[in-house]
Amino acid sequence: QVQLVESGGGLVQAGGSLRLSCAASGRTFSNYHMGWFRQAPGKEREFVADINWSGGNTNYADSVKGRFTISRDNARNTLYLEMNSLKPEDTAVYYCAASGRFSLAPISGIEKYDYWGQGTQVTVSS
């Protein structure tokens, strides 16, 4: 079992930045492929970014590529999402997730993640 707790969300103006964190506890964090997802009101949950166990492979949705950066610190059991040049359409609840699958390739499917955090709200005002 892995417990995930997100933090760092909030209200920011368009063009601003936020850094989300996801603290993991339970099993060995470095054993898991990690991802960030988001869900806007009235929309389905969507993939944002993922990172393999070592941090050497990352993948992004086209909508955030060049603006968001996913990273992890296995010594601190923490996943991060640095978000820059935020847009109103980035407004959503952001979730971190852990997948027990070992992969060097991207894992973007929601169904492939085994554990989820409770989410943190990000609101971008225009």
Side-chain angles (χ1 to χ4, degrees):
Q1 193 81 0
V2 176
Q3 292 78 42
L4 302 171
V5 179
E6 302 95 336
S7 61
L11 174 63
V12 63
Q13 289 188 333
S17 300
L18 281 175
R19 188 194 198 200
L20 305 184
S21 298
C22 172
S25 61
R27 295 188 177 178
T28 304
F29 178 65
S30 59
N31 286 348
Y32 291 87
H33 193 108
M34 300 296 296
W36 285 100
F37 293 78
R38 67 186 182 186
Q39 188 166 17
K43 295 187 176 182
E44 294 186 351
R45 193 170 298 188
E46 65 176 6
F47 169 79
V48 174
D50 73 315
I51 187 167
N52 76 318
W53 70 273
S54 69
N57 290 54
T58 59
N59 179 50
Y60 299 90
D62 287 343
S63 59
V64 306
K65 202 171 294 183
R67 300 187 297 121
F68 290 12
T69 302
I70 188 172
S71 62
R72 66 190 297 163
D73 185 338
N74 287 341
R76 296 178 182 271
N77 296 335
T78 304
L79 176 74
Y80 301 100
L81 185 68
E82 185 76 35
M83 305 186 295
N84 298 314
S85 302
L86 282 162
K87 304 175 182 180
E89 51 263 43
D90 294 318
T91 295
V93 177
Y94 283 71
Y95 299 89
C96 67
S99 172
R101 293 166 174 78
F102 175 80
S103 177
L104 295 179
I107 301 178
S108 59
I110 292 173
E111 72 283 357
K112 295 182 180 178
Y113 285 83
D114 306 298
Y115 304 101
W116 293 83
Q118 84 292 344
T120 185
Q121 176 71 46
V122 171
T123 302
V124 184
S125 63
S126 57

